[in-house]
Amino acid sequence: MDIKKVTVAYMSPTGGTKKIAKAMMDAFSELNIPLGKIDFLPSRVRKLTYEFQEDELLVFVAPVFFGRMPWCIYDFKGLKGNNSNALVVCVYGNRLCEDAPYETSLFLKEQGFNTIAYAEFVAQHSLYSKLGENRPTDDDIADIKAKTKNLFNDFIEDKLAIPYKFEDHELKERGVPTVIPTFKEGCEILCDDCRLCMKVCPLDLIDKMTGLVPKEKESECMGCLACMCHCTTGARGFSDEQQKLLNDKMEKVYEAHKEAKENLIYLQYK
């Protein structure tokens, strides 16, 4: 199979997914494959049109939220495939990917793509650093690059059964964040009104007057922490009460998932 171009599209609210996307881009560069990239975290990027042909491969990289695909992706209607192929890459914080790969594949199918395989790669959890701490490590990066190259070689040698066949099932219920980022106690004065938090919020939820997510929109928030991670003054974060609530919950999750998980690629051969 002749592939003229690979495009790596990713959203990385806190930076972990970007590290994995970069490792994959480096792998394709070492294979001398023409390469493109799309950072679709900002909503304005998802309003643009990106059209792919049959001889192009889309590598679609996104974090997992509550075992589901980030729901902001559903507004990415300008992503157009023409019987094009796509590799689904789910990045998770050493817990579980659950329905995220299947849901992402369903979305891409609606946009005109065939899923050739899917990957589950580990990055440090955005809410609790003990989960997947310091990942991806250098060893992870080397492993991801090697797996990417091997998969691509199998793909261009026409060894894969495409599309990848998932077991059809109903998606699990979408989760709700335990806490919503706000101004840290006493830190409101640090805000310099740069509005970067508003620009990176993937769902455009932050009020331009208050700098906060309005109460009536809190249920829409994914808890991705993009606003908090991109804040240049340290104003955004959690109150002491919120942080304790979050820590208590995430420590229980950590106890159930403390063992380091492997980076995996799932594929089906002919």
Side-chain angles (χ1 to χ4, degrees):
M1 184 176 295
D2 184 28
I3 294 296
K4 292 184 177 179
K5 183 179 180 181
V6 173
T7 297
V8 178
Y10 66 94
M11 61 171 289
S12 185
T14 59
T17 302
K18 184 177 181 179
K19 292 176 182 177
I20 287 171
K22 184 181 183 302
M24 300 186 79
M25 286 189 280
D26 289 345
F28 289 118
S29 293
E30 290 171 12
L31 291 173
N32 296 313
I33 308 298
L35 191 62
K37 73 173 181 177
I38 304 169
D39 177 356
F40 61 87
L41 176 66
S43 63
R44 63 184 180 277
V45 175
R46 299 193 304 277
K47 291 180 173 67
L48 303 175
T49 299
Y50 303 89
E51 190 161 358
F52 293 79
Q53 304 306 317
E54 283 192 75
D55 57 2
E56 295 182 71
L57 175 66
L58 171 66
V59 180
F60 197 80
V61 193
V64 175
F65 292 119
F66 310 102
R68 294 279 302 269
M69 177 184 84
W71 48 92
C72 66
I73 290 174
Y74 280 108
D75 69 12
F76 202 170
K77 300 302 184 184
L79 187 65
K80 301 293 183 184
N82 291 283
N83 198 33
S84 311
N85 291 301
L87 169 62
V88 171
V89 181
C90 294
V91 179
Y92 71 114
N94 204 65
R95 195 186 71 85
L96 296 167
C97 285
E98 297 179 277
D99 281 344
Y102 176 54
E103 184 178 12
T104 307
S105 180
L106 289 177
F107 167 76
L108 291 173
K109 182 179 180 180
E110 291 178 356
Q111 307 306 117
F113 293 89
N114 302 306
T115 296
I116 67 167
Y118 75 90
E120 296 181 348
F121 293 154
V122 182
Q124 181 172 295
H125 200 287
S126 59
L127 287 171
Y128 204 61
S129 61
K130 287 167 68 175
L131 273 167
E133 190 168 17
N134 297 322
R135 297 186 71 181
T137 63
D138 290 344
D139 286 343
D140 284 322
I141 295 299
D143 181 43
I144 289 167
K145 289 174 66 176
K147 283 182 165 66
T148 299
K149 291 177 181 179
N150 290 338
L151 171 64
F152 187 75
N153 286 331
D154 285 345
F155 170 56
I156 61 174
E157 291 172 10
D158 202 26
K159 294 180 179 179
L160 304 183
I162 301 171
Y164 184 96
K165 295 191 185 311
F166 291 87
E167 181 180 344
D168 291 333
H169 62 273
E170 289 188 12
L171 298 173
K172 63 171 287 188
E173 186 176 353
R174 183 183 292 169
V176 178
T178 303
V179 292
I180 303 295
T182 181
F183 289 121
K184 290 186 286 189
E185 292 178 1
C187 291
E188 296 92 335
I189 59 173
L190 295 178
C191 178
D192 59 6
D193 199 32
C194 72
R195 304 201 171 191
L196 183 57
C197 58
M198 301 171 196
K199 294 176 184 176
V200 299
C201 175
L203 287 158
D204 295 327
L205 298 179
I206 299 175
D207 184 86
K208 291 180 172 56
M209 297 299 294
T210 66
L212 301 174
V213 177
K215 285 287 184 186
E216 65 272 16
K217 292 186 177 181
E218 285 188 355
S219 62
E220 300 175 43
C221 178
M222 299 187 299
C224 74
L225 306 191
C227 61
M228 183 172 146
C229 182
H230 287 78
C231 180
T232 59
T233 65
R236 300 189 76 86
F238 300 122
S239 67
D240 292 342
E241 182 181 354
Q242 286 178 317
Q243 192 66 62
K244 183 180 185 311
L245 182 66
L246 183 62
N247 288 348
D248 289 346
K249 177 182 178 179
M250 294 306 298
E251 182 62 26
K252 294 176 183 176
V253 175
Y254 170 70
E255 288 300 321
H257 299 280
K258 61 170 61 176
E259 185 176 345
K261 296 181 180 176
E262 295 181 57
N263 299 300
L264 299 171
I265 289 184
Y266 297 83
L267 45 79
Q268 294 163 347
Y269 287 103
K270 289 182 176 180

